[in-house]
Amino acid sequence: LTTHHSVSLSGLDSETTYHFRVESKDAAGNEAISDDVAFNTPDVTSPVISNVVVSDITGSSAVITWETNELATSQVEYGMTTSYGQTTLLDDSLTTQHSVTLTSLDSETTYHLRVRSKDAADNEAVSDDSTFNTPDVTSPVISSVVVSDITGSSAVITWKTNEPATSQVEYGPT
């Protein structure tokens, strides 16, 4: 018998309303029961991220999309290593379908990324690392164009490019 009572409840589900009442009996067996009281357990579960897709890749941009199983924010960390180094602005709109466009990317570069989403209760989820490659969008530079070995019926055209490239000559009398 005591005048200060405490009972710990465990195994409760998050995001659930629980009702309770307390009961006490004195040494003589007189019973008292409180009124109904309710409390809510908080959301402690992070969103689940799925279907991370990189699309519409150009030499300077890419679109990153993903889904969450509950309403959440959108943000992408990216860079040339798994240290990332760059982060998009946080889109605090709560949605389950996420889309973020990365801009000012370097062409012909491998990028690492991971997506981040937080639900309304501030529980955060972070995806695994993903990679994508931006394409080469810079044309080769032609230099040192030379005509040699000219005869009455032939000529040799040579030139250099600053990167490996194909060869073709268009020619005619005009």
Tab-separated table of all heavy atoms in Angstrom, residues 8-75:
chain	number	residue	atom	x	y	z
A	8	SER	N	3.938	1.473	-15.711
A	8	SER	CA	4.459	1.709	-17.058
A	8	SER	C	3.708	0.830	-18.045
A	8	SER	O	3.532	-0.371	-17.819
A	8	SER	CB	5.950	1.375	-17.134
A	8	SER	OG	6.683	2.287	-16.359
A	9	LEU	N	3.267	1.446	-19.137
A	9	LEU	CA	2.609	0.711	-20.205
A	9	LEU	C	3.627	0.490	-21.318
A	9	LEU	O	4.356	1.406	-21.686
A	9	LEU	CB	1.412	1.500	-20.748
A	9	LEU	CG	0.368	1.936	-19.716
A	9	LEU	CD1	-0.700	2.798	-20.393
A	9	LEU	CD2	-0.258	0.739	-19.037
A	10	SER	N	3.670	-0.698	-21.888
A	10	SER	CA	4.605	-0.970	-22.982
A	10	SER	C	3.872	-1.720	-24.092
A	10	SER	O	2.742	-2.182	-23.904
A	10	SER	CB	5.810	-1.778	-22.490
A	10	SER	OG	5.374	-3.017	-21.967
A	11	GLY	N	4.512	-1.802	-25.232
A	11	GLY	CA	3.903	-2.499	-26.360
A	11	GLY	C	2.799	-1.699	-27.033
A	11	GLY	O	1.966	-2.255	-27.753
A	12	LEU	N	2.790	-0.386	-26.793
A	12	LEU	CA	1.763	0.460	-27.402
A	12	LEU	C	2.094	0.696	-28.873
A	12	LEU	O	3.251	0.692	-29.278
A	12	LEU	CB	1.684	1.802	-26.669
A	12	LEU	CG	1.390	1.751	-25.166
A	12	LEU	CD1	1.408	3.159	-24.580
A	12	LEU	CD2	0.053	1.074	-24.903
A	13	ASP	N	1.066	0.909	-29.674
A	13	ASP	CA	1.242	1.231	-31.089
A	13	ASP	C	1.379	2.736	-31.249
A	13	ASP	O	0.703	3.509	-30.573
A	13	ASP	CB	0.037	0.752	-31.905
A	13	ASP	CG	-0.066	-0.765	-31.944
A	13	ASP	OD1	0.982	-1.438	-31.937
A	13	ASP	OD2	-1.193	-1.279	-31.983
A	14	SER	N	2.253	3.157	-32.173
A	14	SER	CA	2.378	4.583	-32.437
A	14	SER	C	1.142	5.083	-33.165
A	14	SER	O	0.402	4.309	-33.772
A	14	SER	CB	3.648	4.886	-33.250
A	14	SER	OG	3.549	4.367	-34.548
A	15	GLU	N	0.909	6.377	-33.068
A	15	GLU	CA	-0.226	7.044	-33.712
A	15	GLU	C	-1.565	6.409	-33.318
A	15	GLU	O	-2.443	6.203	-34.145
A	15	GLU	CB	-0.089	7.010	-35.232
A	15	GLU	CG	1.057	7.793	-35.782
A	15	GLU	CD	1.068	7.794	-37.277
A	15	GLU	OE1	0.425	8.700	-37.868
A	15	GLU	OE2	1.712	6.900	-37.870
A	16	THR	N	-1.708	6.142	-32.032
A	16	THR	CA	-2.920	5.491	-31.550
A	16	THR	C	-3.452	6.238	-30.336
A	16	THR	O	-2.687	6.682	-29.487
A	16	THR	CB	-2.629	4.022	-31.168
A	16	THR	OG1	-2.076	3.355	-32.311
A	16	THR	CG2	-3.878	3.298	-30.716
A	17	THR	N	-4.765	6.370	-30.257
A	17	THR	CA	-5.409	6.935	-29.073
A	17	THR	C	-5.694	5.791	-28.103
A	17	THR	O	-6.283	4.777	-28.488
A	17	THR	CB	-6.724	7.637	-29.447
A	17	THR	OG1	-6.431	8.688	-30.369
A	17	THR	CG2	-7.419	8.200	-28.211
A	18	TYR	N	-5.263	5.958	-26.863
A	18	TYR	CA	-5.525	4.971	-25.814
A	18	TYR	C	-6.369	5.627	-24.729
A	18	TYR	O	-6.145	6.775	-24.361
A	18	TYR	CB	-4.218	4.468	-25.193
A	18	TYR	CG	-3.492	3.493	-26.083
A	18	TYR	CD1	-2.508	3.928	-26.960
A	18	TYR	CD2	-3.801	2.130	-26.066
A	18	TYR	CE1	-1.842	3.039	-27.784
A	18	TYR	CE2	-3.136	1.235	-26.881
A	18	TYR	CZ	-2.165	1.690	-27.743
A	18	TYR	OH	-1.510	0.803	-28.551
A	19	HIS	N	-7.353	4.874	-24.222
A	19	HIS	CA	-8.176	5.293	-23.085
A	19	HIS	C	-7.757	4.461	-21.888
A	19	HIS	O	-7.391	3.295	-22.021
A	19	HIS	CB	-9.668	5.038	-23.374
A	19	HIS	CG	-10.210	5.913	-24.454
A	19	HIS	ND1	-10.874	7.081	-24.187
A	19	HIS	CD2	-10.160	5.799	-25.818
A	19	HIS	CE1	-11.229	7.643	-25.329
A	19	HIS	NE2	-10.802	6.890	-26.325
A	20	PHE	N	-7.837	5.078	-20.713
A	20	PHE	CA	-7.519	4.327	-19.500
A	20	PHE	C	-8.272	4.919	-18.324
A	20	PHE	O	-8.778	6.036	-18.375
A	20	PHE	CB	-6.006	4.325	-19.225
A	20	PHE	CG	-5.468	5.648	-18.762
A	20	PHE	CD1	-5.330	5.935	-17.404
A	20	PHE	CD2	-5.097	6.625	-19.694
A	20	PHE	CE1	-4.834	7.162	-16.979
A	20	PHE	CE2	-4.594	7.844	-19.275
A	20	PHE	CZ	-4.463	8.120	-17.917
A	21	ARG	N	-8.324	4.151	-17.293
A	21	ARG	CA	-8.784	4.624	-15.989
A	21	ARG	C	-7.979	3.860	-14.948
A	21	ARG	O	-7.475	2.773	-15.213
A	21	ARG	CB	-10.287	4.430	-15.794
A	21	ARG	CG	-10.756	3.023	-15.846
A	21	ARG	CD	-12.252	2.947	-15.749
A	21	ARG	NE	-12.652	1.542	-15.725
A	21	ARG	CZ	-13.885	1.144	-15.732
A	21	ARG	NH1	-14.862	2.030	-15.755
A	21	ARG	NH2	-14.180	-0.130	-15.704
A	22	VAL	N	-7.818	4.465	-13.799
A	22	VAL	CA	-7.038	3.821	-12.746
A	22	VAL	C	-7.970	3.390	-11.621
A	22	VAL	O	-9.033	3.982	-11.419
A	22	VAL	CB	-5.923	4.748	-12.205
A	22	VAL	CG1	-4.919	5.060	-13.308
A	22	VAL	CG2	-6.474	6.019	-11.607
A	23	GLU	N	-7.550	2.335	-10.969
A	23	GLU	CA	-8.321	1.792	-9.840
A	23	GLU	C	-7.382	1.624	-8.651
A	23	GLU	O	-6.242	1.233	-8.812
A	23	GLU	CB	-8.910	0.420	-10.201
A	23	GLU	CG	-9.823	0.432	-11.402
A	23	GLU	CD	-10.328	-0.962	-11.778
A	23	GLU	OE1	-10.304	-1.870	-10.915
A	23	GLU	OE2	-10.725	-1.130	-12.940
A	24	SER	N	-7.889	1.946	-7.464
A	24	SER	CA	-7.121	1.751	-6.228
A	24	SER	C	-8.051	1.259	-5.143
A	24	SER	O	-9.233	1.621	-5.102
A	24	SER	CB	-6.479	3.064	-5.764
A	24	SER	OG	-5.476	3.465	-6.648
A	25	LYS	N	-7.511	0.421	-4.256
A	25	LYS	CA	-8.255	-0.073	-3.082
A	25	LYS	C	-7.415	0.195	-1.843
A	25	LYS	O	-6.212	0.019	-1.836
A	25	LYS	CB	-8.491	-1.587	-3.180
A	25	LYS	CG	-9.502	-1.991	-4.225
A	25	LYS	CD	-9.740	-3.497	-4.164
A	25	LYS	CE	-10.666	-3.924	-5.297
A	25	LYS	NZ	-10.847	-5.365	-5.321
A	26	ASP	N	-8.089	0.611	-0.796
A	26	ASP	CA	-7.372	0.821	0.459
A	26	ASP	C	-7.299	-0.489	1.229
A	26	ASP	O	-7.791	-1.520	0.766
A	26	ASP	CB	-7.999	1.955	1.270
A	26	ASP	CG	-9.424	1.669	1.721
A	26	ASP	OD1	-9.860	0.490	1.659
A	26	ASP	OD2	-10.105	2.627	2.132
A	27	ALA	N	-6.716	-0.458	2.424
A	27	ALA	CA	-6.520	-1.656	3.233
A	27	ALA	C	-7.849	-2.291	3.636
A	27	ALA	O	-7.933	-3.509	3.841
A	27	ALA	CB	-5.703	-1.325	4.476
A	28	ALA	N	-8.911	-1.496	3.683
A	28	ALA	CA	-10.219	-2.032	4.057
A	28	ALA	C	-10.971	-2.586	2.853
A	28	ALA	O	-12.086	-3.078	2.994
A	28	ALA	CB	-11.043	-0.945	4.733
A	29	GLY	N	-10.388	-2.476	1.640
A	29	GLY	CA	-11.038	-2.997	0.443
A	29	GLY	C	-11.960	-2.009	-0.241
A	29	GLY	O	-12.704	-2.373	-1.158
A	30	ASN	N	-11.947	-0.729	0.187
A	30	ASN	CA	-12.768	0.288	-0.471
A	30	ASN	C	-12.120	0.636	-1.812
A	30	ASN	O	-10.937	0.960	-1.884
A	30	ASN	CB	-12.862	1.540	0.404
A	30	ASN	CG	-13.518	1.224	1.736
A	30	ASN	OD1	-14.585	0.632	1.778
A	30	ASN	ND2	-12.843	1.603	2.826
A	31	GLU	N	-12.914	0.568	-2.869
A	31	GLU	CA	-12.388	0.750	-4.230
A	31	GLU	C	-12.738	2.128	-4.765
A	31	GLU	O	-13.843	2.626	-4.575
A	31	GLU	CB	-12.967	-0.323	-5.156
A	31	GLU	CG	-12.444	-0.249	-6.573
A	31	GLU	CD	-12.990	-1.372	-7.448
A	31	GLU	OE1	-14.217	-1.564	-7.484
A	31	GLU	OE2	-12.165	-2.043	-8.093
A	32	ALA	N	-11.790	2.722	-5.495
A	32	ALA	CA	-12.025	3.983	-6.203
A	32	ALA	C	-11.597	3.775	-7.655
A	32	ALA	O	-10.594	3.118	-7.928
A	32	ALA	CB	-11.224	5.115	-5.572
A	33	ILE	N	-12.410	4.333	-8.581
A	33	ILE	CA	-12.104	4.238	-10.020
A	33	ILE	C	-12.160	5.649	-10.598
A	33	ILE	O	-13.124	6.379	-10.389
A	33	ILE	CB	-13.116	3.326	-10.744
A	33	ILE	CG1	-13.078	1.910	-10.163
A	33	ILE	CG2	-12.831	3.313	-12.246
A	33	ILE	CD1	-14.140	0.985	-10.717
A	34	SER	N	-11.105	6.007	-11.348
A	34	SER	CA	-11.057	7.347	-11.935
A	34	SER	C	-11.975	7.436	-13.148
A	34	SER	O	-12.456	6.427	-13.664
A	34	SER	CB	-9.623	7.682	-12.370
A	34	SER	OG	-9.264	6.952	-13.542
A	35	ASP	N	-12.153	8.664	-13.631
A	35	ASP	CA	-12.854	8.873	-14.895
A	35	ASP	C	-11.970	8.391	-16.042
A	35	ASP	O	-10.764	8.201	-15.886
A	35	ASP	CB	-13.156	10.366	-15.094
A	35	ASP	CG	-14.207	10.884	-14.117
A	35	ASP	OD1	-15.035	10.084	-13.652
A	35	ASP	OD2	-14.155	12.105	-13.831
A	36	ASP	N	-12.570	8.244	-17.199
A	36	ASP	CA	-11.842	7.872	-18.401
A	36	ASP	C	-10.902	9.018	-18.798
A	36	ASP	O	-11.294	10.185	-18.792
A	36	ASP	CB	-12.825	7.599	-19.550
A	36	ASP	CG	-12.109	7.261	-20.840
A	36	ASP	OD1	-11.624	6.125	-20.960
A	36	ASP	OD2	-12.023	8.144	-21.729
A	37	VAL	N	-9.669	8.680	-19.115
A	37	VAL	CA	-8.668	9.632	-19.594
A	37	VAL	C	-8.094	9.047	-20.886
A	37	VAL	O	-7.959	7.831	-21.005
A	37	VAL	CB	-7.547	9.833	-18.553
A	37	VAL	CG1	-6.502	10.811	-19.048
A	37	VAL	CG2	-8.124	10.291	-17.219
A	38	ALA	N	-7.771	9.918	-21.822
A	38	ALA	CA	-7.211	9.445	-23.095
A	38	ALA	C	-5.883	10.131	-23.368
A	38	ALA	O	-5.633	11.242	-22.909
A	38	ALA	CB	-8.182	9.719	-24.236
A	39	PHE	N	-5.029	9.456	-24.117
A	39	PHE	CA	-3.785	10.045	-24.597
A	39	PHE	C	-3.476	9.459	-25.968
A	39	PHE	O	-3.978	8.390	-26.329
A	39	PHE	CB	-2.620	9.823	-23.628
A	39	PHE	CG	-2.178	8.389	-23.493
A	39	PHE	CD1	-1.153	7.881	-24.288
A	39	PHE	CD2	-2.777	7.548	-22.560
A	39	PHE	CE1	-0.746	6.569	-24.149
A	39	PHE	CE2	-2.376	6.222	-22.424
A	39	PHE	CZ	-1.350	5.733	-23.214
A	40	ASN	N	-2.658	10.190	-26.741
A	40	ASN	CA	-2.255	9.736	-28.072
A	40	ASN	C	-0.760	9.450	-28.086
A	40	ASN	O	0.029	10.253	-27.596
A	40	ASN	CB	-2.545	10.810	-29.134
A	40	ASN	CG	-4.013	11.097	-29.260
A	40	ASN	OD1	-4.814	10.184	-29.360
A	40	ASN	ND2	-4.384	12.369	-29.243
A	41	THR	N	-0.390	8.324	-28.654
A	41	THR	CA	1.030	8.050	-28.845
A	41	THR	C	1.478	8.737	-30.130
A	41	THR	O	0.719	8.827	-31.096
A	41	THR	CB	1.304	6.537	-28.935
A	41	THR	OG1	0.494	5.969	-29.963
A	41	THR	CG2	1.008	5.848	-27.604
A	42	PRO	N	2.693	9.252	-30.154
A	42	PRO	CA	3.151	9.993	-31.340
A	42	PRO	C	3.526	9.054	-32.491
A	42	PRO	O	3.759	7.867	-32.291
A	42	PRO	CB	4.382	10.738	-30.824
A	42	PRO	CG	4.904	9.872	-29.730
A	42	PRO	CD	3.680	9.250	-29.078
A	43	ASP	N	3.636	9.643	-33.671
A	43	ASP	CA	4.145	8.939	-34.846
A	43	ASP	C	5.659	8.858	-34.701
A	43	ASP	O	6.335	9.885	-34.637
A	43	ASP	CB	3.769	9.719	-36.110
A	43	ASP	CG	4.369	9.137	-37.389
A	43	ASP	OD1	5.035	8.088	-37.342
A	43	ASP	OD2	4.166	9.762	-38.446
A	44	VAL	N	6.195	7.668	-34.597
A	44	VAL	CA	7.643	7.483	-34.479
A	44	VAL	C	8.202	6.659	-35.640
A	44	VAL	O	9.351	6.240	-35.611
A	44	VAL	CB	8.017	6.820	-33.128
A	44	VAL	CG1	7.671	7.748	-31.979
A	44	VAL	CG2	7.339	5.477	-32.978
A	45	THR	N	7.383	6.446	-36.666
A	45	THR	CA	7.787	5.625	-37.799
A	45	THR	C	8.183	6.503	-38.983
A	45	THR	O	7.400	7.347	-39.416
A	45	THR	CB	6.638	4.685	-38.222
A	45	THR	OG1	6.232	3.923	-37.091
A	45	THR	CG2	7.065	3.758	-39.332
A	46	SER	N	9.377	6.297	-39.489
A	46	SER	CA	9.850	7.051	-40.650
A	46	SER	C	9.106	6.611	-41.906
A	46	SER	O	8.682	5.465	-42.016
A	46	SER	CB	11.351	6.815	-40.867
A	46	SER	OG	12.080	7.323	-39.784
A	47	PRO	N	8.975	7.508	-42.872
A	47	PRO	CA	8.384	7.105	-44.153
A	47	PRO	C	9.253	6.025	-44.811
A	47	PRO	O	10.449	5.944	-44.546
A	47	PRO	CB	8.395	8.378	-44.990
A	47	PRO	CG	8.821	9.481	-44.104
A	47	PRO	CD	9.403	8.897	-42.872
A	48	VAL	N	8.647	5.244	-45.672
A	48	VAL	CA	9.388	4.247	-46.442
A	48	VAL	C	9.567	4.802	-47.852
A	48	VAL	O	8.587	5.148	-48.520
A	48	VAL	CB	8.651	2.894	-46.482
A	48	VAL	CG1	9.376	1.912	-47.387
A	48	VAL	CG2	8.497	2.328	-45.075
A	49	ILE	N	10.815	4.904	-48.286
A	49	ILE	CA	11.152	5.410	-49.618
A	49	ILE	C	11.228	4.236	-50.580
A	49	ILE	O	11.836	3.206	-50.267
A	49	ILE	CB	12.495	6.168	-49.588
A	49	ILE	CG1	12.366	7.442	-48.752
A	49	ILE	CG2	12.982	6.477	-50.993
A	49	ILE	CD1	13.674	8.152	-48.488
A	50	SER	N	10.637	4.408	-51.771
A	50	SER	CA	10.715	3.359	-52.798
A	50	SER	C	10.742	3.983	-54.184
A	50	SER	O	10.442	5.165	-54.355
A	50	SER	CB	9.525	2.403	-52.669
A	50	SER	OG	8.306	3.097	-52.857
A	51	ASN	N	11.088	3.168	-55.162
A	51	ASN	CA	11.049	3.542	-56.581
A	51	ASN	C	11.822	4.827	-56.894
A	51	ASN	O	11.301	5.715	-57.566
A	51	ASN	CB	9.611	3.661	-57.072
A	51	ASN	CG	8.854	2.369	-56.922
A	51	ASN	OD1	9.410	1.299	-57.120
A	51	ASN	ND2	7.589	2.448	-56.565
A	52	VAL	N	13.056	4.914	-56.420
A	52	VAL	CA	13.896	6.063	-56.759
A	52	VAL	C	14.325	5.897	-58.225
A	52	VAL	O	14.918	4.887	-58.591
A	52	VAL	CB	15.135	6.168	-55.846
A	52	VAL	CG1	16.019	7.325	-56.267
A	52	VAL	CG2	14.711	6.297	-54.389
A	53	VAL	N	13.991	6.893	-59.057
A	53	VAL	CA	14.277	6.826	-60.493
A	53	VAL	C	14.941	8.131	-60.937
A	53	VAL	O	14.500	9.212	-60.552
A	53	VAL	CB	12.978	6.599	-61.302
A	53	VAL	CG1	13.246	6.656	-62.799
A	53	VAL	CG2	12.322	5.277	-60.919
A	54	VAL	N	15.977	8.002	-61.755
A	54	VAL	CA	16.619	9.157	-62.375
A	54	VAL	C	16.202	9.150	-63.841
A	54	VAL	O	16.377	8.149	-64.531
A	54	VAL	CB	18.150	9.089	-62.258
A	54	VAL	CG1	18.788	10.335	-62.863
A	54	VAL	CG2	18.577	8.913	-60.811
A	55	SER	N	15.641	10.263	-64.319
A	55	SER	CA	15.168	10.326	-65.701
A	55	SER	C	15.478	11.686	-66.309
A	55	SER	O	15.986	12.578	-65.631
A	55	SER	CB	13.662	10.062	-65.759
A	55	SER	OG	12.963	11.067	-65.047
A	56	ASP	N	15.160	11.818	-67.585
A	56	ASP	CA	15.360	13.085	-68.315
A	56	ASP	C	16.768	13.645	-68.102
A	56	ASP	O	16.951	14.842	-67.878
A	56	ASP	CB	14.303	14.120	-67.904
A	56	ASP	CG	12.890	13.649	-68.195
A	56	ASP	OD1	12.717	12.893	-69.177
A	56	ASP	OD2	11.969	14.021	-67.457
A	57	ILE	N	17.756	12.770	-68.191
A	57	ILE	CA	19.148	13.170	-67.969
A	57	ILE	C	19.669	13.899	-69.206
A	57	ILE	O	19.575	13.391	-70.319
A	57	ILE	CB	20.036	11.943	-67.673
A	57	ILE	CG1	19.514	11.180	-66.453
A	57	ILE	CG2	21.485	12.368	-67.463
A	57	ILE	CD1	20.169	9.825	-66.257
A	58	THR	N	20.202	15.099	-68.992
A	58	THR	CA	20.881	15.855	-70.052
A	58	THR	C	22.314	16.087	-69.597
A	58	THR	O	22.718	15.594	-68.541
A	58	THR	CB	20.186	17.209	-70.312
A	58	THR	OG1	20.429	18.073	-69.189
A	58	THR	CG2	18.683	17.053	-70.542
A	59	GLY	N	23.046	16.860	-70.360
A	59	GLY	CA	24.409	17.186	-69.962
A	59	GLY	C	24.484	18.087	-68.755
A	59	GLY	O	25.534	18.222	-68.135
A	60	SER	N	23.350	18.708	-68.365
A	60	SER	CA	23.389	19.651	-67.244
A	60	SER	C	22.242	19.486	-66.241
A	60	SER	O	22.155	20.255	-65.290
A	60	SER	CB	23.370	21.084	-67.772
A	60	SER	OG	22.173	21.314	-68.488
A	61	SER	N	21.365	18.500	-66.450
A	61	SER	CA	20.252	18.339	-65.511
A	61	SER	C	19.768	16.895	-65.473
A	61	SER	O	20.084	16.091	-66.345
A	61	SER	CB	19.083	19.264	-65.892
A	61	SER	OG	18.522	18.858	-67.127
A	62	ALA	N	18.984	16.593	-64.443
A	62	ALA	CA	18.357	15.275	-64.294
A	62	ALA	C	17.158	15.429	-63.364
A	62	ALA	O	17.156	16.291	-62.475
A	62	ALA	CB	19.341	14.257	-63.721
A	63	VAL	N	16.152	14.602	-63.571
A	63	VAL	CA	14.962	14.611	-62.723
A	63	VAL	C	14.999	13.365	-61.842
A	63	VAL	O	15.163	12.250	-62.346
A	63	VAL	CB	13.672	14.642	-63.569
A	63	VAL	CG1	12.443	14.553	-62.671
A	63	VAL	CG2	13.629	15.895	-64.428
A	64	ILE	N	14.848	13.560	-60.530
A	64	ILE	CA	14.850	12.470	-59.565
A	64	ILE	C	13.426	12.332	-59.028
A	64	ILE	O	12.850	13.304	-58.536
A	64	ILE	CB	15.808	12.744	-58.379
A	64	ILE	CG1	17.147	13.312	-58.854
A	64	ILE	CG2	15.968	11.498	-57.524
A	64	ILE	CD1	17.894	12.476	-59.841
A	65	THR	N	12.847	11.141	-59.133
A	65	THR	CA	11.509	10.893	-58.600
A	65	THR	C	11.566	9.715	-57.633
A	65	THR	O	12.425	8.838	-57.751
A	65	THR	CB	10.491	10.593	-59.732
A	65	THR	OG1	10.945	9.462	-60.482
A	65	THR	CG2	10.315	11.790	-60.648
A	66	TRP	N	10.653	9.722	-56.671
A	66	TRP	CA	10.520	8.605	-55.737
A	66	TRP	C	9.153	8.670	-55.073
A	66	TRP	O	8.417	9.628	-55.225
A	66	TRP	CB	11.641	8.578	-54.711
A	66	TRP	CG	11.655	9.664	-53.680
A	66	TRP	CD1	11.164	9.608	-52.399
A	66	TRP	CD2	12.201	10.998	-53.819
A	66	TRP	NE1	11.376	10.803	-51.748
A	66	TRP	CE2	12.006	11.661	-52.594
A	66	TRP	CE3	12.833	11.672	-54.854
A	66	TRP	CZ2	12.422	12.976	-52.373
A	66	TRP	CZ3	13.246	12.972	-54.643
A	66	TRP	CH2	13.037	13.611	-53.421
A	67	GLU	N	8.839	7.615	-54.348
A	67	GLU	CA	7.568	7.516	-53.632
A	67	GLU	C	7.836	7.285	-52.153
A	67	GLU	O	8.860	6.727	-51.780
A	67	GLU	CB	6.747	6.343	-54.172
A	67	GLU	CG	6.394	6.461	-55.633
A	67	GLU	CD	5.717	5.213	-56.178
A	67	GLU	OE1	5.388	4.300	-55.396
A	67	GLU	OE2	5.531	5.148	-57.403
A	68	THR	N	6.897	7.738	-51.327
A	68	THR	CA	6.908	7.390	-49.907
A	68	THR	C	5.547	6.814	-49.550
A	68	THR	O	4.547	7.105	-50.213
A	68	THR	CB	7.211	8.613	-49.010
A	68	THR	OG1	6.339	9.694	-49.359
A	68	THR	CG2	8.661	9.056	-49.165
A	69	ASN	N	5.518	6.001	-48.527
A	69	ASN	CA	4.268	5.348	-48.124
A	69	ASN	C	3.378	6.249	-47.268
A	69	ASN	O	2.290	5.837	-46.876
A	69	ASN	CB	4.566	4.055	-47.361
A	69	ASN	CG	5.248	4.315	-46.028
A	69	ASN	OD1	5.974	5.292	-45.864
A	69	ASN	ND2	5.004	3.448	-45.074
A	70	GLU	N	3.843	7.439	-46.986
A	70	GLU	CA	3.035	8.424	-46.266
A	70	GLU	C	3.456	9.811	-46.728
A	70	GLU	O	4.493	9.985	-47.367
A	70	GLU	CB	3.203	8.284	-44.751
A	70	GLU	CG	4.615	8.555	-44.245
A	70	GLU	CD	4.726	8.486	-42.735
A	70	GLU	OE1	3.954	9.182	-42.046
A	70	GLU	OE2	5.595	7.740	-42.245
A	71	LEU	N	2.649	10.792	-46.424
A	71	LEU	CA	2.945	12.168	-46.818
A	71	LEU	C	4.280	12.595	-46.215
A	71	LEU	O	4.507	12.397	-45.018
A	71	LEU	CB	1.832	13.100	-46.362
A	71	LEU	CG	0.454	12.852	-46.977
A	71	LEU	CD1	-0.587	13.754	-46.321
A	71	LEU	CD2	0.484	13.058	-48.481
A	72	ALA	N	5.152	13.182	-47.065
A	72	ALA	CA	6.487	13.553	-46.595
A	72	ALA	C	7.068	14.641	-47.494
A	72	ALA	O	6.567	14.917	-48.577
A	72	ALA	CB	7.402	12.320	-46.591
A	73	THR	N	8.152	15.254	-47.019
A	73	THR	CA	8.865	16.302	-47.749
A	73	THR	C	9.795	15.681	-48.792
A	73	THR	O	9.969	14.461	-48.830
A	73	THR	CB	9.694	17.159	-46.779
A	73	THR	OG1	10.673	16.299	-46.147
A	73	THR	CG2	8.819	17.821	-45.737
A	74	SER	N	10.434	16.551	-49.600
A	74	SER	CA	11.330	16.089	-50.668
A	74	SER	C	12.645	16.863	-50.640
A	74	SER	O	12.637	18.088	-50.565
A	74	SER	CB	10.682	16.320	-52.039
A	74	SER	OG	9.392	15.767	-52.110
A	75	GLN	N	13.752	16.117	-50.727
A	75	GLN	CA	15.068	16.741	-50.813
A	75	GLN	C	16.046	15.718	-51.376
A	75	GLN	O	15.913	14.522	-51.124
A	75	GLN	CB	15.545	17.222	-49.443
A	75	GLN	CG	16.774	18.096	-49.498
A	75	GLN	CD	17.060	18.765	-48.164
A	75	GLN	OE1	16.903	18.165	-47.103
A	75	GLN	NE2	17.482	20.017	-48.208
